[in-house]
């Protein structure tokens, strides 16, 4: 135990992981309540295109991925709102195009950078000081934003028409939520990877919904679920030399299924 905590790279891993657990814990609640799990998966996979662009042009992949996923999220919102297609169709189109773009760019580079696998499957143990700082700034910014407008998001989630009548700019808040979601996804990718980041956006909120009595308790349980998953997952990863992202997600899944079994027995 002391050996794990005293290790500098594990300290960074725990700090970044805990920040991500709080960030995704809050976002997960609204993802579950608004039934947006597919858009979370779509944007996370679309981030592959932004990461590939970063590698190709020599910029920080996280930076290019943030810009790209925000554009994708806004494109999904605009297409589904103005076009004659449902949101899931828009997500499917942007998701597949972004993946194809990423693969094409990587093919053009004529070489595969090993760091790319860290973004696909996560590599929290190799996170840098700069990435920890970026995670801290992002987590604080998004958390403060969500908490500051919790009332508005709650009303929009449960009744958009009532929110409109109350004078809330529903489209603006939906766009802001998509931006917050996109940034959260990209920051989380370094922790658990593109393949599994959608799990952190769904499982904590789904677990919390089993027992929560109100929105505040749901957010609290969701964040605690994410926190426990990250801490336990990192300990398992370190002790048994396993992929950290996979351990975190499997721990979160175990918490959900145990909670579901206990709930059904009540």
């Amino acid at each position: 135990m002391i050996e794990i905590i005293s290790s500098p790279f594990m300290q960074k891993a725990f700090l970044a992981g805990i920040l991500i657990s709080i960030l995704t814990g809050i976002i997960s609640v609204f993802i579950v309540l608004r039934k947006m799990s597919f858009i979370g998966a779509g944007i996370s996979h679309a981030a592959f295109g932004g990461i590939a662009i970063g590698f190709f042009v020599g910029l920080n992949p996280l930076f290019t991925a943030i810009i790209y996923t925000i554009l994708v999220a806004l494109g999904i919102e605009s297409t589904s709102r103005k076009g004659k297609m449902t949101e899931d169709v828009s997500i499917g189109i942007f998701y597949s195009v972004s993946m194809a773009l990423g693969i094409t760019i990587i093919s053009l580079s004529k070489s595969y950078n090993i760091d790319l696998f860290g973004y696909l499957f996560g590599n929290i143990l190799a996170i840098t000081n700069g990435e920890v700082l970026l995670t801290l700034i992002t987590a604080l910014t998004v958390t403060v934003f969500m908490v500051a407008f919790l009332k508005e998001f709650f009303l929009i989630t449960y009744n958009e028409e009532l929110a409109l009548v109350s004078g809330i700019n529903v489209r603006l808040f939906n766009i802001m939520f998509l931006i917050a979601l996109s940034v959260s996804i990209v920051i989380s990718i370094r922790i658990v990877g593109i393949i599994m980041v959608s799990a952190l956006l769904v499982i904590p909120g789904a677990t919390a919904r089993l027992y929560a009595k109100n929105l505040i308790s749901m957010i609290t349980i969701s964040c605690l679920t994410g926190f426990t998953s990250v801490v336990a997952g990192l300990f398992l990863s370190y002790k048994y030399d396993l992929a950290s992202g996979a351990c975190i997600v499997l721990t979160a899944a175990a918490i959900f299924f145990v909670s579901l079994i206990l709930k059904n027995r009540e």
Side-chain angles (χ1 to χ4, degrees), residues 43-117:
I43 293 177
S44 65
H45 284 76
F48 180 71
I51 289 172
I53 292 173
F55 276 114
F56 187 72
V57 301
L59 295 175
N60 187 325
L62 288 180
F63 173 76
T64 54
I66 287 175
I67 301 300
Y68 185 82
T69 52
I70 288 176
L71 293 176
V72 167
L74 296 180
I76 291 172
E77 191 277 336
S78 179
T79 303
S80 58
R81 182 176 59 86
K82 295 180 180 180
K84 298 180 179 180
M85 62 184 70
T86 58
E87 188 177 73
D88 62 326
V89 174
S90 299
I91 295 170
I93 292 173
F94 278 95
Y95 154 69
S96 56
V97 169
S98 297
M99 290 294 290
L101 175 64
I103 293 171
T104 301
I105 291 175
I106 292 172
S107 300
L108 288 173
S109 69
K110 305 299 181 182
S111 64
Y112 291 91
N113 193 315
I114 191 64
D115 287 340
L116 183 61
F117 291 94

Side-chain angles (χ1 to χ4, degrees), residues 188-223:
S188 302
I189 281 174
R190 195 60 169 151
I191 309 300
V192 294
I194 291 173
I195 307 300
M196 292 176 286
V197 69
S198 57
L200 281 185
L201 293 171
V202 176
I203 296 177
T207 303
R209 194 172 188 182
L210 294 173
Y211 294 98
K213 302 298 182 181
N214 52 55
L215 183 63
I216 300 300
S217 64
M218 187 172 179
I219 291 175
T220 302
I221 296 172
S222 179
C223 290

Side-chain angles (χ1 to χ4, degrees), residues 2-262:
I2 297 178
E3 179 186 356
I4 297 177
I5 298 176
S6 61
S7 175
F9 73 91
M10 285 302 296
Q11 290 174 357
K12 290 188 292 184
F14 275 113
L15 176 58
I18 290 171
L19 289 170
I20 289 298
S21 70
I22 297 172
L23 177 60
T24 56
I26 296 173
I27 295 290
S28 178
V29 168
F30 293 97
I31 289 289
V32 171
L33 292 178
R34 301 176 72 170
K35 301 177 181 179
M36 296 175 64
S37 58
F38 186 42
I39 194 171
I43 293 177
S44 65
H45 284 76
F48 180 71
I51 289 172
I53 292 173
F55 276 114
F56 187 72
V57 301
L59 295 175
N60 187 325
L62 288 180
F63 173 76
T64 54
I66 287 175
I67 301 300
Y68 185 82
T69 52
I70 288 176
L71 293 176
V72 167
L74 296 180
I76 291 172
E77 191 277 336
S78 179
T79 303
S80 58
R81 182 176 59 86
K82 295 180 180 180
K84 298 180 179 180
M85 62 184 70
T86 58
E87 188 177 73
D88 62 326
V89 174
S90 299
I91 295 170
I93 292 173
F94 278 95
Y95 154 69
S96 56
V97 169
S98 297
M99 290 294 290
L101 175 64
I103 293 171
T104 301
I105 291 175
I106 292 172
S107 300
L108 288 173
S109 69
K110 305 299 181 182
S111 64
Y112 291 91
N113 193 315
I114 191 64
D115 287 340
L116 183 61
F117 291 94
Y119 290 96
L120 285 173
F121 303 105
N123 190 6
I124 191 174
L125 301 182
I127 195 169
T128 65
N129 290 330
E131 289 170 339
V132 172
L133 179 61
L134 180 61
T135 302
L136 174 61
I137 294 172
T138 302
L140 288 176
T141 302
V142 174
T143 299
V144 170
F145 168 71
M146 294 297 297
V147 171
F149 296 102
L150 196 61
K151 179 182 176 181
E152 287 79 2
F153 282 116
F154 175 79
L155 190 56
I156 292 171
T157 298
Y158 280 98
N159 195 324
E160 280 198 7
E161 293 183 359
L162 180 58
L164 284 169
V165 173
S166 301
I168 298 175
N169 190 331
V170 173
R171 188 183 176 220
L172 176 61
F173 274 97
N174 282 337
I175 289 175
M176 293 302 293
F177 179 76
L178 287 174
I179 292 175
L181 172 62
S182 300
V183 175
S184 301
I185 285 173
V186 174
I187 296 302
S188 302
I189 281 174
R190 195 60 169 151
I191 309 300
V192 294
I194 291 173
I195 307 300
M196 292 176 286
V197 69
S198 57
L200 281 185
L201 293 171
V202 176
I203 296 177
T207 303
R209 194 172 188 182
L210 294 173
Y211 294 98
K213 302 298 182 181
N214 52 55
L215 183 63
I216 300 300
S217 64
M218 187 172 179
I219 291 175
T220 302
I221 296 172
S222 179
C223 290
L224 286 174
T225 300
F227 173 84
T228 304
S229 302
V230 167
V231 173
L234 285 176
F235 272 112
L236 289 172
S237 172
Y238 185 89
K239 184 174 182 179
Y240 297 105
D241 193 23
L242 300 171
S244 55
C247 287
I248 292 171
V249 172
L250 288 174
T251 302
I255 292 173
F256 170 76
F257 285 116
V258 170
S259 300
L260 182 62
I261 293 171
L262 294 176

